[in-house]
Amino acid sequence: MRRQPPEGWREVFRGPAVRGDVLHAVLESAGLHPVLERSGAQSWWAGAGSALEECNLYVPDDEGDRAREMITADPPASERPD
C-alpha cells in the first residue's frame, strides 16, 4: 500500500535509503527543506543508510517543482563518467 505524503508536502523520491541520503544532502545544500522518512523491516536495527532500507523524500509543496528538477537534471558534462 502506497503511503500518501503529509498534507502540505510533496514526495520527490521513493527508493533505496542510501540514494535518499545523497539526494537529501543535495536538496538541503541548495536551500530546500527536505525530510527523509525511512521504512522497511530492517530500519529498526540496520542503522542509518543501510542498503536494506527504503525511504521516501518529501519537500514542502512550494519546493516540489525545484526539487524534482534538481533530482532529474543531467549532471554537467565535466561530472559525467567517460
Side-chain angles (χ1 to χ4, degrees), residues 7-63:
E7 189 171 329
W9 292 79
R10 189 181 312 178
E11 181 183 81
V12 293
F13 174 78
R14 183 174 0 122
V18 172
R19 184 161 183 225
D21 287 337
V22 172
L23 294 174
H24 182 275
V26 167
L27 296 177
E28 195 170 56
S29 71
L32 301 181
H33 302 91
V35 173
L36 190 68
E37 177 183 66
R38 296 179 187 282
S39 61
Q42 305 301 324
S43 64
W44 63 273
W45 67 269
S50 169
L52 301 175
E53 287 181 298
E54 290 290 310
C55 74
N56 295 38
L57 186 61
Y58 303 105
V59 294
D61 276 337
D62 63 334
E63 297 177 356

